[in-house]
C-alpha cells in the first residue's frame, strides 16, 4: 500500500519498478500484474475484514477499468481489451504489439479478477467488462473449420496454423482465456 500511486479520483496503480526514475523503461504499469495485486487486496479484505484493503482493491479496479482499457463498439456490443504495458505519462495505452488472449500477456488475466471483484463487491461495471471480454473474443475469433476456433497471436513468429498466426498456449493464447 505504501508504494501505490493514488490519483485524485481515487484510482490506484503500481509501477513495475517503484524505484525507476522518470523516463526509465521500467517506469510503467503492467495491467495484467495489477490484476494479481488487486486480487491480493481482495483476498486480504475477505480474510481480515479490513476495509482499507477493500478500498485499495476498488481503487485498483477503477484504474484498470477506466485508464488503460479500451472499449470498441461493434455489432455484438462493446469489446474490451487492455494493453500489455501502460506508461502513465504517455498520451494513450502502449503495448507489445497487439491484443493477446492469453493469461500472462493477455485478456485472460482480467477474467478471474473481474469475477472475484463482482462476487465480493457486485457492480455493473464488472459485468460490462466481462461481457466486453466475451465480445472481444468473439470478434477476434478465427474459424479454423471442423468446429475449431482460435485467436490470432500478437505479432509472434512460429504460431502458424492454416497460414494464420495462432497461439494456443497459456501465456499468449487460447488456453489462457478459455480455461476461465
Amino acid at each position: 500500500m505504501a508504494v501505490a500511486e493514488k490519483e485524485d479520483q481515487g484510482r490506484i496503480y503500481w509501477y513495475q519498478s517503484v524505484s525507476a526514475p522518470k523516463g526509465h523503461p521500467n517506469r510503467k504499469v503492467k495491467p495484467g500484474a495489477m490484476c494479481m495485486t488487486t486480487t491480493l487486496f481482495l483476498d486480504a479484505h475477505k480474510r481480515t475484514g479490513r476495509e482499507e484493503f477493500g478500498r485499495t482493491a476498488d481503487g485498483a479496479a477503477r484504474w484498470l477499468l477506466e485508464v488503460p482499457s479500451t472499449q470498441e463498439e461493434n455489432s455484438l456490443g462493446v469489446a474490451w481489451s487492455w494493453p500489455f504495458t501502460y506508461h502513465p505519462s504517455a498520451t494513450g495505452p502502449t503495448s507489445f504489439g497487439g491484443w493477446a488472449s492469453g493469461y500472462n500477456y493477455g485478456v485472460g488475466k482480467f477474467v478471474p479478477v473481474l469475477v472475484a471483484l463482482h462476487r465480493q463487491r457486485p457492480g455493473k461495471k464488472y459485468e460490462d467488462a466481462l461481457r466486453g471480454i466475451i465480445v472481444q473474443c468473439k470478434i477476434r475469433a478465427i474459424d479454423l473449420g471442423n468446429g475449431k476456433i482460435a485467436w490470432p497471436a500478437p505479432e509472434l513468429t512460429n504460431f502458424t496454423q492454416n497460414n494464420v498466426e495462432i497461439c494456443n498456449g497459456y501465456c499468449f493464447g487460447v488456453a489462457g482465456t478459455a480455461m476461465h
Side-chain angles (χ1 to χ4, degrees), residues 30 50 69 76 99 101 104 106 115 130 134 171 179:
K30 289 189 172 180
R50 292 177 56 185
S69 67
L76 298 174
W99 180 83
S101 62
N104 289 6
V115 168
L130 285 163
I134 292 169
C171 294
M179 66 180 279

Side-chain angles (χ1 to χ4, degrees), residues 53-74:
F53 296 148
R55 283 192 304 272
T56 301
D58 285 339
R62 283 196 50 227
W63 188 88
L64 285 167
L65 295 176
E66 296 171 9
V67 177
S69 67
T70 57
Q71 293 89 44
E72 185 180 323
E73 183 80 35
N74 64 64

